[in-house]
Structure formats: structure tokens, C-alpha cells
DNA sequence: ATTATATTTCTATGTTACTAGAATTATCGT
DNA sequence: ACGATAATTCTAGTAACATAGAAATATAAT
């Protein structure tokens, strides 16, 4: 749980998210610091701190190859993070936000599109949302009143 | 993109993540501030700031009902955030981190389990990872060398 | 050994975020 | 109109984070 918070806040920063996305695309071999530095044009010391933050969160792992240190995405942890969010939200989304239970289309979330085809709405969830949705159904309108 | 960063960093904070999780479980009706306050025992002003941060990020929406203001999860944005992470990572995971392409089991990520059954490995991805994985296959070992 | 390159740690500074009491605004009930 | 309750904004102190130059460390090449 604390780990998830660290990971979310690690990704919740422009430069670190850019690093992470770069490394996702770099694949399992990753990139050495110098490559990242040249691509993102970040000063070495700053980059090093960001890499440390991402590594301590578990999202990256580092391996030395001679003078170079390659940072790569730790896929297992990335999957765990997505699962964490999915389990907290996606299950609810399937139950409550499936715009067309017949086709499963509408959410447009590849993470959900498969599962949404068979509405997984539990008895409990259905009852709860029924009661709740009876009164108001906003689901939009963003700003504070 | 900037929005995604705001959302990730909004969730990357203990108290705000707790609020978000509470509201996920509260369903579409959400909870009014006072309910949240009593459950999480947060001082009003602090809570108000956190709710504002989450709302500005788009993850929550607020609706007034008399004296009460109900905050609820904005499922659409939550889905978008998960999709964002999924598209950046999950596609790569399917291609590179499917431990058993035959059964699709192993990752244990409900977000991926469906899709993993049909390995989506592209020609490009296969070639790239082949070349890369030839040398080293760490995929573990967390700390900096 | 010496020099060059890769990366990190040290150090410092500015900025942003968190926290929470007090004052304020808004709405309801009487 | 008035008091009570819900929630936000004001204000301010502290802590944490981001940035980056300079010094230090580690490895490789000559």
C-alpha cells in the first residue's frame, strides 16, 4: 500500500513520467543513463535523483554493464500497480459504468473491454447502486459547486 | 498528459488515496464531506484541500445537495487514467512478460489476463525483444548497483 | 599510471506541498 | 431574523521536493 503510493507519486511528475515512458518503449534491456540524458536533455544529477526515486519505488530496476548502468522497467511492479488501480476502480466501473452491457462498448478502456462484455455486476453492487442512483445520477459536471 | 500527471500525483498521497478508495467504494452517490471527515478523521480544512486537488485533477466530481456537498469518483477519468497506464505498459507487458503464452497465466493481472490468452506480440516487438533478451535477462534485482 | 567517460553523491537554493486553526460563506430549521 | 451546521477560504508555519553545479567514485582504454 505504501509502495503503491510511492509508485503513483513517482509517476506523478513530468520528468519521471517521461523517463518511465521512455523505458517502457526501450523494452527489457532498458537504457543507460547517458542515453536517457541525451534523449531527455536532463542534467546528470537531476536525472540520477529521478532514477533513484523510480527505482526505490520498485518501478525500475538497474543493472550494471561495465561503465554503464542500464535502467529498465520492472514489469512485475508496473503490472501490480495497474492491478491495484484496477481492483479499486475497474470492478466498480464494470458494475456501474458499463454504458451498454449488451455489447460492452462505450467505456473504451482496453483494460476493461474484454471483461465488460459479460457484465459482472454482483447482487450486492446492483442493490447498492440501485438505491443510490435512484435519487440523483450526476456522473458529470466537474467543478466544485 | 498534464492531466494524467496531476491525477497520478493526486493519488500519490496517503490521505488522498484513502479518500479516493473510500469514494470508489461509496459508489456513484459518493459521500458528503462530513461523512468523509468522520470516517478518516481529517480536519476540515485539510480535507477540503485534498478534495480540491482530486477534483481539479478530474478524478472526483462534486455536486451540492442542500447544505451538503457530495464528492464522487469520476469513473470516466479513472478509466482514462488506467487506460493511459495500460497503453503505456500493458501492451509491452503482453509482448514481453507473458510467462506462458499457451495459457496466459502467470502475470496474474486481471487487467491483462483476458488479452494475454491470445499473445499479441507484434513482429517488431518480437524482433526487438529477441535481440535484447539475447544478452541479459535480469527482470529482477531492485537496488542500484 | 594516466586520462577519459559514466554515474552518483554532495551541497545549496528556490519552489511547491501538507497541515491545520481561525475567519468566512452558504444553507437549513425554527 | 437567528442560531446551528456544512463546507470553504484565509493565513501561516513546517516539511518535502526539484534542480543543478561541483566534487567524488567507478570503470574502461591507452
Amino acid at each position: 500500500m505504501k509502495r503503491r503510493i510511492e509508485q503513483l507519486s513517482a509517476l506523478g511528475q513530468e520528468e519521471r513520467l517521461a523517463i518511465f515512458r521512455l523505458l517502457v518503449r526501450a523494452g527489457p534491456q532498458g537504457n543507460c543513463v547517458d542515453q536517457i540524458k541525451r534523449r531527455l536533455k536532463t542534467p546528470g544529477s537531476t536525472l540520477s535523483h529521478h532514477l533513484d526515486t523510480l527505482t526505490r519505488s520498485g518501478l525500475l530496476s538497474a543493472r550494471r554493464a561495465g561503465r554503464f548502468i542500464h535502467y529498465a522497467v520492472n514489469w512485475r511492479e508496473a503490472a501490480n500497480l495497474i492491478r491495484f488501480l484496477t481492483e479499486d476502480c475497474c470492478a466498480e466501473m464494470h458494475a456501474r459504468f458499463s454504458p451498454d452491457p449488451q455489447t460492452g462498448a462505450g467505456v473504451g478502456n482496453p483494460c476493461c473491454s474484454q471483461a465488460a462484455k459479460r457484465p459482472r455486476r454482483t447482487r450486492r453492487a446492483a442493490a447498492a447502486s440501485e438505491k443510490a442512483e435512484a435519487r440523483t445520477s450526476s456522473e458529470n459536471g466537474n467543478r466544485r459547486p
Side-chain angles (χ1 to χ4, degrees), chain A residues 33 54 63 65 71 79 82 87 89 100 104-106 109-110 117 119 131-132 145:
Chain A
V33 180
L54 284 161
R63 107 192 107 83
Y71 284 88
I82 291 177
E87 281 176 358
C89 314
D100 186 349
N109 187 342
K117 282 178 186 166
K131 201 184 71 180

Side-chain angles (χ1 to χ4, degrees), chain A residues 6-132:
Chain A
E6 280 173 0
Q7 294 173 341
L8 288 164
S9 87
L11 293 178
Q13 208 271 358
E14 190 170 9
E15 192 126 13
R16 282 194 298 263
L17 185 59
I19 295 168
F20 183 77
R21 281 158 60 84
L22 181 70
L23 292 180
V24 163
R25 280 153 183 74
Q29 200 190 357
N31 279 151
C32 69
V33 180
D34 209 49
Q35 286 178 296
I36 303 171
K37 189 158 110 187
R38 267 171 296 157
R39 291 208 189 142
L40 302 185
K41 300 182 202 309
T42 313
S45 62
T46 302
L47 179 55
S48 191
H49 280 133
H50 286 321
L51 288 169
D52 186 48
T53 301
L54 284 161
T55 303
R56 274 189 289 103
S57 85
L59 285 171
L60 298 186
S61 55
R63 107 192 107 83
R64 180 148 224 153
R67 259 185 298 190
F68 300 85
I69 297 178
H70 290 262
Y71 284 88
V73 170
N74 189 345
W75 307 95
R76 206 178 308 264
E77 278 299 306
N80 284 342
L81 177 58
I82 291 177
R83 176 171 50 200
F84 172 78
L85 289 175
T86 302
E87 281 176 358
D88 260 24
C89 314
C90 217
E92 295 290 326
M93 275 191 290
H94 291 155
R96 303 179 191 286
F97 191 63
S98 233
D100 186 349
Q102 228 63 7
T103 67
V107 173
N109 187 342
C111 155
C112 303
S113 55
Q114 286 301 103
K117 282 178 186 166
R118 299 165 282 129
R120 281 200 218 156
R121 176 178 270 249
T122 64
R123 235 169 309 285
R124 288 191 291 75
S129 75
E130 197 181 323
K131 201 184 71 180

